[in-house]
Amino acid sequence: MTEVIGYRPTADELSYTFGGREPVRRVKPGTILELYTEDCFGGRVRTVDDLPSQVCEFPYLNPVTGPFHIEGAEPGDTLAVHFAEIVPARDWAVSSTFPHFGALTTTHTTAMLHPPLDEVVWRYDVDVPAGLVRYHARRGDFSMELPLDPMHGTAGVAPAAFESRMTIVPDAHGGNMDTPELRAGVTAYFGVNVPGALFALGDGHCRQGEGEVCGTAVESAMNTVLIVDVIKGAATPTPRFETDEALMSAGSARPLEDAYRMSQHDLVTWAADLTGLDVLDAYQLISQAGEAPVGNVCDPNYTMLAKVPKRYLGVAPAYEGVHSRLRTVAQNHLSSR
Amino acid sequence: MTEVIGYRPTADELSYTFGGREPVRRVKPGTILELYTEDCFGGRVRTVDDLPSQVCEFPYLNPVTGPFHIEGAEPGDTLAVHFAEIVPARDWAVSSTFPHFGALTTTHTTAMLHPPLDEVVWRYDVDVPAGLVRYHARRGDFSMELPLDPMHGTAGVAPAAFESRMTIVPDAHGGNMDTPELRAGVTAYFGVNVPGALFALGDGHCRQGEGEVCGTAVESAMNTVLIVDVIKGAATPTPRFETDEALMSAGSARPLEDAYRMSQHDLVTWAADLTGLDVLDAYQLISQAGEAPVGNVCDPNYTMLAKVPKRYLGVAPAYEGVHSRLRTVAQNHLSSR
Amino acid sequence: MTEVIGYRPTADELSYTFGGREPVRRVKPGTILELYTEDCFGGRVRTVDDLPSQVCEFPYLNPVTGPFHIEGAEPGDTLAVHFAEIVPARDWAVSSTFPHFGALTTTHTTAMLHPPLDEVVWRYDVDVPAGLVRYHARRGDFSMELPLDPMHGTAGVAPAAFESRMTIVPDAHGGNMDTPELRAGVTAYFGVNVPGALFALGDGHCRQGEGEVCGTAVESAMNTVLIVDVIKGAATPTPRFETDEALMSAGSARPLEDAYRMSQHDLVTWAADLTGLDVLDAYQLISQAGEAPVGNVCDPNYTMLAKVPKRYLGVAPAYEGVHSRLRTVAQNHLSSR
Amino acid sequence: MTEVIGYRPTADELSYTFGGREPVRRVKPGTILELYTEDCFGGRVRTVDDLPSQVCEFPYLNPVTGPFHIEGAEPGDTLAVHFAEIVPARDWAVSSTFPHFGALTTTHTTAMLHPPLDEVVWRYDVDVPAGLVRYHARRGDFSMELPLDPMHGTAGVAPAAFESRMTIVPDAHGGNMDTPELRAGVTAYFGVNVPGALFALGDGHCRQGEGEVCGTAVESAMNTVLIVDVIKGAATPTPRFETDEALMSAGSARPLEDAYRMSQHDLVTWAADLTGLDVLDAYQLISQAGEAPVGNVCDPNYTMLAKVPKRYLGVAPAYEGVHSRLRTVAQNHLSSR
């Protein structure tokens, strides 16, 4: 019998780091979690007049729901999280420029002598039944419908080595990877660094362009259904994703070519492990069959994914088929509601 | 009446630079070119025993067909090249590792103290009617069919400022961008730097993964049909591509985030020009609607594209509709053969 | 009357993070600290046969002494730490290659398919009275004396935003900057992020080349004398150093040009503040008068310094002369022993 | 008997590329050249009202004097150029910001949506006998004397592979390395790529900060005395410098860590060659004894040097002592005037 836990954090239960926090709940492997997550602005940006730099206060940005202690998860294991459903919680969403944040602006690290770009907020209409969001230009009459494609920008576990990291940072523990690939239907795998793994998630996006070039997506609170499991004795060096069709490895680093290298290196060696191919043979196969979806090019680390259709590997399932198993349980749960 | 010119270069007509070469032909705008291009190894790697470092001689690598002088093209104009058809010229193709080349190996610039990776050649079967290539592992029995998706890794014009660049380099003049987006159906736009533009192309790939991680694709000689045109008085700062569905800007630079920045910057400002949107409004729209296909992460400059579906811009056509016009002429030509 | 506190940590008092730890002592501003710091290997590498990857255990690397709670230090203040004396604690020191660490090897982030370089340990003779260390080649008879130039690779305070970072990471809080400029005679300034600042230091180097290219320096336990002070209401955005002759700003980031940009940006704006120069005038002056000493090009962030001789600014002292004041107190203490 | 050739180019003899140009003179190895070089603005910026973007015309920037065909120099040889004297040709010099150029501004490649920084010119007084330049703030009364330290930003030979490169680019052929280390007393070594080597130089700087952060130095026409020689059969993979005290290797690439890697890699392997040390032993020695002077962090490639005092290598001279020999001849010539 699958256990189902619903959880909506109060404002003071929100977390702003991965690591360094007590769990909000302890759950068993196989538990279904029905969660509410706040948007990256903590819900404070509601109109185009709510400038993030004025209504938000550092470091209370990008709150996550959690962390959840998954019983039995130990360092060296892998946490599997299947995302069954991600639904915007409101009929509006917001995006903005933010001073010194984004790919086409001077930042704290790519430091230049320019004043920051104008801080501007865009408010989107969100139509869940129609599967659309609507963009409105701020300095003209143009508006445009774009497909709804909900995802979580931020998901991960506590880091290794006693570290605690701001939720805005993506790294080996997951975090703010900001990849459009983290949508419903995906199973995410995270290497466990501390007892209980301490999984948390947030930063829902109604949709996002590749790279999140202005620094923010179509930001929204979300109602999300997921199921967690523990794969004992299986190490996962960097976050990985699995869908019915594809395997993916994530790399988060700077410069961006290192994010590319990390993700491709993990996918090449993972593919070699799964297929029994020699590493150079796998390198060749991924070179021709692989994709490289861009996550973010604006966060403290940049994120890229390496992706390959499973059919080109022709192999036994990854992690002994946990994706299919969790997917089935999750679908049964959704259809039984 | 459309002029059609067929051209197959002799070995000594091949070019190894963009710039610094006399044209092989002078053609009028509107001319259809039916061209043969050699593969990046000059056709010298034919079996798995032909190691590129032994059978090829620097700098006689990555030969291009051309350059073609397009009459009337002057600095400040744009050269439009519509790719109508790209067909592998042989029933085999090759790929390889190459010492100090590729994304997951020590190179001349990312210089390390490791000896180079093993130099290995893979020979693919190419089945044009079936639309497939077949990969064969070298160190095991595994083989796999992958879809044929022909493209040119290298296409461009003479650079500005009296420069001459090796064909292996991508930059503002085009060159070795190695993007899977440069397939049949695309119109490529290049800013003209010298009288006649001096267009050349080569480096056919039967298919390529994003990033060309091992440094080479499924390399093949090609029979390619294209049509050229000149757009007077329209500057193009970086190579751009147009299909029936999308607009794309290419950026070639290191580190990879600069290739991302260049391509996104051009797409944002181009979209603002086309739509009349304020630049920050365009920045926001591209941030949510845009894609960032990776070209290469192995060449002297890395290449990324910024891409947006035209329907999200809802605008009058780019370059006054030259893509549609050339596409129609090219299709008529193909269907009349 | 200056308070003097001596402290030598026991093994279980060593810290492996900045942030997330209780202080080992609470001290008043103006206190002189006489500290012992272990080497980056925790003292476990004592002969050329002690391979770090075998005798050390992740994450128990690069231990620091501290943290010290400095009374009265609050977020928004600056902690000043004047280094009066840094003396190697042993007559030997060690250096090594380490698998997947260093600038000329495949690493976790610059991920490549090469096996790691050989792990080799070098043991140096340290002659403090003569001011020399002696290098011995491992694979030949060559040996060479180099000047002793003791420094701390790691020094800093607790990070902002509830973060806890491995001691191997340099960032805005200081940490593992690995710059040869952090030697005796320097006053280091750190922005305070948490009450008490929580200063710690370690990773003594008998000397270090610029960039620490192989990943380790001439690593040694140290006996270090320093004096701490708090500058109320003065923010310091990135670690800064002052000597009798020069001002320096540190930037830690990837890629290396961002570390350069951060450090130069801070020095330019700091110089403008100190001199009253317009920012572009200061940009010009630093462009011609400035230096850019390289710290490390091997750690999770790379570190560069921007440095300018004080005489070219012709100004009132930085931080109201705290460097001169601490230097005098420290010298009096040293000469009174 | 040493041959001495004086040469002052007319305006139409100036060159704007390395490669792609006929030589202005043919000279024998051992010839002393007494040359005049124009400044990077072609002498057109003479007052603070002469804005470079208005008085200069792309691509007629950064003119070099030459190229000189050195008789007998063949691909695979090394060209040695000893700089005997570099003297500013005027009693003033200029520097400027330039739109989209410099380390702390949006550029063509680090493309951002900011408008460019203000274009400002600074005019320096140059006092050769006193060994000083004088800076004057533009937006205030501040002025400051800085030591004269003349150098050439640009020096090199024709590139390999039929390339022709703008003089503003540094790469394996030399070019616009913009390193303060290229001062009188240095012997520079360049690998020869084409018959005659085709050496050229320009871009004199009265002095320059490390990194040339604003994009220009204290720019001046120069009267320079140098002596050229050919080292037969000695390959030089990247520009190298030698003084009486030190050996240096230059690396030019992006990102900056690759310039660091290239330079350190060459110095490590060069040191191993000179000393007979194992490569890892040389890696260790350079790691502790080496320096990493920054050249430019603003040009199309960034440049770093790896530098080691010769005394730490304890070896037979590099290139069979050509530095000492050329230095002696040059000093005799200077003292005989």
Side-chain angles (χ1 to χ4, degrees), chain D residues 147-164:
Chain D
L148 186 67
D149 186 11
M151 51 164 277
H152 279 282
T154 307
V157 295
F162 319 120
E163 284 208 314
S164 170

Side-chain angles (χ1 to χ4, degrees), chain A residues 87-169:
Chain A
V87 180
R90 300 171 183 138
D91 62 0
W92 55 271
V94 287
S95 190
S96 77
T97 50
F98 192 88
H100 299 106
F101 201 73
L104 301 185
T105 177
T106 170
T107 65
H108 171 62
T109 49
T110 308
M112 299 183 167
L113 294 173
H114 305 279
L117 296 178
D118 287 355
E119 186 173 5
V120 179
V121 171
W122 290 263
R123 183 177 153 129
Y124 285 74
D125 308 317
V126 178
D127 186 339
V128 172
L132 293 169
V133 298
R134 181 170 280 275
Y135 158 91
H136 303 279
R138 285 295 312 282
R139 297 169 174 177
D141 279 336
F142 186 92
S143 84
M144 180 57 58
E145 286 180 345
L146 303 172
L148 186 67
D149 186 12
M151 52 164 278
H152 279 282
T154 307
V157 295
F162 319 120
E163 283 208 314
S164 171
R165 306 299 304 276
M166 282 189 286
T167 51
I168 208 170
V169 178

Side-chain angles (χ1 to χ4, degrees), chain C residues 129-173:
Chain C
L132 294 169
V133 297
R134 179 169 281 277
Y135 159 91
H136 302 279
R138 286 295 312 282
R139 295 168 175 177
D141 279 335
F142 185 93
S143 84
M144 178 59 59
E145 286 179 345
L146 303 172
L148 186 66
D149 185 13
M151 51 164 279
H152 279 281
T154 307
V157 295
F162 320 119
E163 283 207 316
S164 171
R165 305 298 304 277
M166 282 190 286
T167 51
I168 207 168
V169 178
D171 211 326
H173 67 283

Side-chain angles (χ1 to χ4, degrees), chain C residues 4 89 162 207 238 240 322:
Chain C
V4 180
F162 320 119
R207 67 172 286 117
T238 199
R240 293 172 175 169
V322 67

